[in-house]
Amino acid sequence: MSTSTPQSSVDAVAQLQERIANKTATIGVIGLGYVGLPLIDAFTKAGFACLGFDVDPAKVEALSAGKSYIKHIDDATISEWLSAEKFEATVEMSRLAEPDVLLICVPTPLTDARDPDLKYVVGTCEAIARTLRSGQLVVLESTTYPTTTRDVMVPILESGGYKAGEDFFVAYSPEREDPGNPNFSAAQIPKVVGGLDPNSRDLAEALYGSAVAGTVTVSSCEVAEAAKVLENIYRAVNIALVNELKVLFDTIGIDVWEVINAAKTKPFGFQAFYPGPGLGGHCIPIDPFYLSWLARKHGQTTRFIELAGEVNTSMPRYVITRVAEFLNEVGKPIKGSKICLLGMAYKKDVDDPRESPSFVLMEQLLDRGADLTYSDPHVPALPKMRHHDLPVMESQELTPEFLKSQDCILIATDHTAFDYETIVQHAPLVVDTRNATLAVATGRTNIRKA
């Protein structure tokens, strides 16, 4: 059991504040993926040493050899961490006592019933509780519903006898990543910080203030948790709006892309959002439902969130319906037609396939009997996905011969690397869900929007 006193709490805060200030604090990052690795980059560049934890031995082995597995953190960056002796990766959770700070960056998916699945957060907290020592700061970065830090994390962390806010410290600071955007690295994005108590808040503020562009300190963990969910709900609802308008405007012969481009010239009161074949990524398709679940728990409804989810999840089906209509115009059914889907990543110019609508499009095309292939320079082989059972496939090279052999090219992700001039020149039919062919569309009769 903890024998801490108020004085020992003051000492612990002062000691950790000093270690953060002189950058001798070791930063532990749990979960070495699309959130964890950019954080390590920010902290090592700021002068801190980082110890990375992951349950996947293959990831740890790759990082230890200076090899990356995500596009926006390259091999050279990891080699820099290693050569400067600022980074080590491990699968040994028994070493969680070594860092002064532990940043939790694990997945927070949904169950099949669209309820929050916190098993990775719970498992990580249980591992931390087994080694927790006085003076450590534990920060959850994974997106979740308000009250998770206080009601789920803290009781697990306190199970060994230490008291949060006295013996150790707890905060919530949601990840803010924009993969594929060269204008924002982890270090350039302000961090929202909410602490369980004033000491935890001050420590977390000092920590992030030492490594990122700035901090936005809020009054509690719950406010920080709610801010992250709001950010993603804002995007989900607005994307649903333009997706719904796309379906309407298609029906009456209006180009939704031209409408958006006209509307966004207004210098106030309007922000452009764009339609697509569905939502992807680890945040927008998932996080709004965390708040919907919390609302139901409190006897409330979140009608905007639920409706946005319905609209966005219906878009792959709409795209496939349009593909069927366009093929029918040339006397072909989907069954037996050669269809190549362009882009498996959920977003332009990234290699992240999480929650990508392309997997749903693939499933629906295969169910309808399409002779299906795909091309994505960022996803050379089709990865195994938790909720999708697809055959083994490899990315196809878009040669003129290959393009001519296809009945339809379906653009699902508008990677810059695709040569749209060549695609449109040689493919008999191009179905474009991203307005990627706008610059090469003049005089072409084989392009259709969906």
Side-chain angles (χ1 to χ4, degrees):
M1 296 291 291
S2 170
T3 58
S4 296
T5 65
Q7 182 60 44
S8 68
S9 174
V10 171
D11 291 344
V13 171
Q15 289 170 9
L16 185 51
Q17 285 274 21
E18 182 179 359
R19 290 180 65 80
I20 290 171
N22 60 29
K23 299 186 178 179
T24 58
T26 298
I27 313 300
V29 177
I30 307 166
L32 303 178
Y34 291 92
V35 175
L37 291 187
L39 271 177
I40 290 171
D41 191 45
F43 278 104
T44 55
K45 280 183 167 58
F48 292 91
C50 293
L51 179 58
F53 297 85
D54 204 285
V55 295
D56 185 348
K59 288 184 177 179
V60 170
E61 183 178 350
L63 293 171
S64 299
K67 302 296 183 184
S68 181
Y69 38 82
I70 65 174
K71 182 175 179 287
H72 56 294
I73 300 291
D74 58 20
D75 293 353
T77 298
I78 296 169
S79 295
E80 287 175 9
W81 304 343
L82 294 170
S83 61
E85 298 184 347
K86 291 293 186 181
F87 173 69
E88 181 184 356
T90 182
V91 296
E92 297 177 18
M93 297 300 165
S94 60
R95 298 183 62 186
L96 286 166
E98 295 180 27
D100 301 287
V101 176
L102 294 170
L103 308 181
I104 301 174
C105 308
V106 297
T108 47
L110 296 171
T111 67
D112 290 339
R114 284 189 173 177
D115 290 340
D117 184 354
L118 295 180
K119 63 186 176 187
Y120 300 110
V121 172
V122 169
T124 299
C125 290
E126 289 172 344
I128 294 172
R130 289 192 286 270
T131 65
L132 189 65
R133 61 173 172 82
S134 179
Q136 284 185 301
L137 169 65
V138 183
V139 185
L140 179 62
E141 290 234 355
S142 306
T143 306
T144 187
Y145 59 86
T147 71
T148 298
T149 305
R150 191 179 305 272
D151 293 348
V152 177
M153 276 185 59
V154 170
I156 298 172
L157 296 174
E158 290 184 331
S159 63
Y162 285 113
K163 180 69 174 174
E166 295 179 7
D167 304 309
F168 68 98
F169 309 97
V170 178
Y172 182 79
S173 182
E175 59 89 5
R176 276 178 163 175
E177 278 291 302
D178 192 12
N181 186 340
N183 298 318
F184 293 107
S185 67
Q188 296 170 302
I189 304 171
K191 290 282 285 177
V192 173
V193 176
L196 189 72
D197 58 275
N199 284 334
S200 298
R201 176 201 63 208
D202 293 346
L203 286 167
E205 184 179 27
L207 172 74
Y208 288 108
S210 299
V212 303
T215 59
V216 181
T217 305
V218 295
S219 60
S220 66
C221 294
E222 288 79 7
V223 171
E225 291 163 335
K228 174 59 176 178
V229 178
L230 173 59
E231 291 173 13
N232 291 331
I233 290 171
Y234 172 76
R235 295 173 67 191
V237 169
N238 280 283
I239 291 170
L241 172 63
V242 293
N243 276 332
E244 188 167 66
L245 289 175
K246 177 177 76 169
V247 175
L248 170 62
F249 291 164
D250 279 352
T251 302
I252 57 180
I254 296 174
D255 185 341
V256 68
W257 298 93
E258 186 177 359
V259 173
I260 294 169
N261 287 336
K264 74 179 184 182
T265 61
K266 184 181 180 181
F268 56 89
F270 182 84
Q271 180 179 354
F273 288 83
Y274 298 97
L279 283 185
H282 67 295
C283 285
I284 304 177
I286 294 174
D287 300 342
F289 293 106
Y290 270 58
L291 199 60
S292 294
W293 173 85
L294 186 63
R296 292 195 301 271
K297 188 178 176 182
H298 289 272
Q300 302 291 317
T301 58
T302 49
R303 286 177 288 176
F304 272 114
I305 297 172
E306 298 289 345
L307 181 58
E310 290 176 17
V311 171
N312 289 326
T313 56
S314 73
M315 294 313 297
R317 183 170 62 252
Y318 173 76
V319 169
I320 299 303
T321 299
R322 296 291 280 165
V323 169
E325 292 172 356
F326 297 141
L327 281 170
N328 188 60
E329 290 175 1
V330 293
K332 295 181 179 180
I334 287 181
K335 185 175 183 179
S337 288
K338 292 183 176 181
I339 299 176
C340 181
L341 191 152
L342 302 195
M344 294 307 300
Y346 82 91
K347 182 182 177 184
K348 178 179 180 178
D349 297 342
V350 304
D351 60 350
D352 188 350
R354 290 176 295 173
E355 307 299 326
S356 173
S358 293
F359 290 90
V360 180
L361 293 171
M362 270 196 162
E363 287 178 333
Q364 295 191 12
L365 288 168
L366 289 170
D367 286 345
R368 293 191 180 209
D371 183 356
L372 187 64
T373 54
Y374 87 92
S375 181
D376 191 320
H378 306 291
V379 185
L382 204 62
K384 293 287 185 182
M385 304 297 288
R386 187 184 301 115
H387 299 298
H388 303 283
D389 185 17
L390 293 168
V392 174
M393 290 190 195
E394 293 185 352
S395 177
Q396 301 295 307
E397 185 180 356
L398 299 180
T399 64
E401 294 74 24
F402 175 81
L403 292 165
K404 289 175 183 177
S405 73
Q406 300 300 296
D407 296 300
C408 175
I409 300 296
L410 173 57
I411 301 173
T413 312
D414 51 335
H415 292 311
T416 303
F418 289 135
D419 183 347
Y420 295 105
E421 177 67 44
T422 297
I423 291 167
V424 170
Q425 180 180 351
H426 297 286
L429 172 65
V430 177
V431 178
D432 185 358
T433 71
R434 299 285 190 177
N435 206 32
T437 57
L438 176 64
V440 297
T442 302
R444 306 291 187 179
T445 60
N446 59 332
I447 300 173
R448 301 289 185 274
K449 300 288 182 67

